Amino acid sequence: MTMRTYLLAALAVAALGTGCTSSTAGGATGSNRSQLLLVSPDEVNRGAALAYAQELSKAKSAGALNRDAVQTRRVKAISNRLIAQVGVFRADARGWPWEVNVLSSPELNAYCMPGGKIAVYTGLIDKLKLTDDELAAVIGHEIAHALREHSREQISQEFVKQQGLSLALQLGKISGGTASVVDFVSQVGVSLPFSRSMETEADVMGMELMARAGYNPEAAVSVWEKMNRQSGAGDRSDFFSTHPSGNNRIANLRQNLPAVMPLYQRARAAR
């Protein structure tokens, strides 16, 4: 082994030792895999808030921001019930500056940016004819991505790949005005698909959130069955490129139902 290889190995061990942690408690579903989180969460959240504000500004200029009052109330009511349950995974998320908005667009899309910035597109609701339970499954899935800081994890991984471990280890010291971090939030944390393990985590955590909020977690299965049919019909939306549907996904959701159904039953009994 060459000296360069030794140095790279040492840096890798250092990175894993200083940057690996879990962003959440496990909950009933044990969602606490160790993650590589080298980038400052404040940097990522600031970048996400800026990107979200830009999206809302564009939608407002186009007359597409919260245009349907009834639909907006529905989305916000479901989101707020889910947000009320986030403390089971991380207590600090209760204090996030959560925002929920509906964008009138034929796109099948929804997301929750880092720090709790939620957007749901009307095309997703209308084309799939989502019930409240199914809409809770989608929003819960997106909230789970934010709770697990999957965008921050992706950005950390990309910095390691593109800039080298030595720079990645210094990311916690980067100032708030660093343009590269904001660019990475938009390009990596929002536009690129999450890994298979991240998608699986978001599926399972999302089911737990909806169950605790009193939404039937079986709807997580039915909504992905609807998405399977939609993508099979040739839909080209960005949502399907970043959230691939499939039988394996549905099978995993079914496998995890026994862990969350008692939570749903208790929540329903308490309402």
Side-chain angles (χ1 to χ4, degrees), residues 47-61:
L50 177 60
Y52 188 70
Q54 291 170 346
E55 288 299 308
L56 295 188
S57 178
K58 287 190 290 186
K60 186 175 182 179
S61 297

Side-chain angles (χ1 to χ4, degrees), residues 195-260:
S195 70
R196 184 176 298 177
S197 64
M198 292 175 184
E199 284 296 309
T200 298
E201 284 178 343
D203 283 346
V204 174
M205 284 181 65
M207 278 206 309
E208 181 167 346
L209 282 173
M210 66 186 295
R212 290 180 181 276
Y215 292 106
N216 188 347
E218 291 174 322
V221 174
S222 65
V223 75
W224 283 106
E225 288 174 338
K226 286 184 176 182
M227 290 183 185
N228 257 355
R229 291 193 291 271
Q230 191 72 27
S231 61
D235 190 281
R236 299 293 183 183
S237 75
D238 289 340
F239 189 86
F240 290 125
S241 65
T242 57
H243 296 74
S245 55
N247 293 330
N248 288 342
R249 182 170 218 151
I250 292 170
N252 182 66
L253 287 166
R254 290 188 188 279
Q255 182 179 341
N256 282 278
L257 276 173
V260 297

Side-chain angles (χ1 to χ4, degrees), residues 34 41 71 157 161 206 222:
S34 185
Q71 199 164 52
Q157 292 168 352
K161 290 180 193 174
S222 65

Side-chain angles (χ1 to χ4, degrees), residues 3-271:
M3 180 58 68
R4 180 175 181 276
T5 304
Y6 274 121
L7 289 172
L8 287 174
L11 282 172
V13 171
L16 292 174
T18 59
C20 280
T21 185
S22 178
S23 60
T24 58
T29 50
S31 301
N32 58 355
R33 169 184 59 87
S34 185
Q35 301 166 275
L36 183 66
L37 300 171
L38 299 173
V39 186
S40 162
D42 291 338
E43 299 293 345
V44 175
N45 291 348
R46 275 195 289 268
L50 177 60
Y52 188 70
Q54 291 170 346
E55 288 299 308
L56 295 188
S57 178
K58 287 190 290 186
K60 186 175 182 179
S61 297
L65 180 62
N66 298 324
R67 190 164 65 195
D68 184 329
V70 173
Q71 199 164 52
T72 299
R73 281 196 299 272
R74 181 188 178 208
V75 171
K76 288 189 174 185
I78 293 170
S79 298
N80 287 337
R81 277 176 58 178
L82 293 166
I83 291 167
Q85 304 301 320
V86 299
V88 71
F89 290 112
R90 51 186 303 168
D92 68 310
R94 294 191 186 104
W96 285 0
W98 293 90
E99 290 187 58
V100 183
N101 288 280
V102 178
L103 308 184
S104 294
S105 168
E107 293 180 60
L108 278 77
N109 199 14
Y111 57 79
C112 181
M113 286 188 182
K117 309 302 184 185
I118 298 170
V120 178
Y121 289 57
T122 56
L124 184 74
I125 302 170
D126 297 337
K127 288 184 181 180
L128 297 183
K129 296 180 170 50
L130 297 182
T131 65
D132 283 2
D133 290 322
E134 289 171 337
L135 186 51
V138 174
I139 298 172
H141 172 96
E142 299 305 326
I143 288 174
H145 278 309
L147 295 177
R148 284 293 289 159
E149 297 192 82
H150 284 153
S151 292
R152 183 181 167 208
E153 185 177 6
Q154 271 192 321
I155 293 165
S156 297
Q157 292 168 352
E158 287 299 314
F159 264 117
V160 169
K161 290 180 193 174
Q162 296 184 21
Q163 306 296 332
L165 282 168
S166 59
L167 176 59
L169 289 170
Q170 301 174 34
L171 289 179
K173 301 177 183 177
I174 292 178
S175 67
T178 303
S180 61
V181 175
V182 176
D183 290 342
F184 264 67
V185 171
S186 297
Q187 296 170 15
V188 178
V190 177
S191 303
L192 295 183
F194 291 116
S195 70
R196 184 176 298 177
S197 64
M198 292 175 184
E199 284 296 309
T200 298
E201 284 178 343
D203 283 346
V204 174
M205 284 181 65
M207 278 206 309
E208 181 167 346
L209 282 173
M210 66 186 295
R212 290 180 181 276
Y215 292 106
N216 188 347
E218 291 174 322
V221 174
S222 65
V223 75
W224 283 106
E225 288 174 338
K226 286 184 176 182
M227 290 183 185
N228 257 355
R229 291 193 291 271
Q230 191 72 27
S231 61
D235 190 281
R236 299 293 183 183
S237 75
D238 289 340
F239 189 86
F240 290 125
S241 65
T242 57
H243 296 74
S245 55
N247 293 330
N248 288 342
R249 182 170 218 151
I250 292 170
N252 182 66
L253 287 166
R254 290 188 188 279
Q255 182 179 341
N256 282 278
L257 276 173
V260 297
M261 284 303 290
L263 301 174
Y264 166 63
Q265 291 158 356
R266 285 198 291 271
R268 292 293 296 171
R271 290 185 67 83

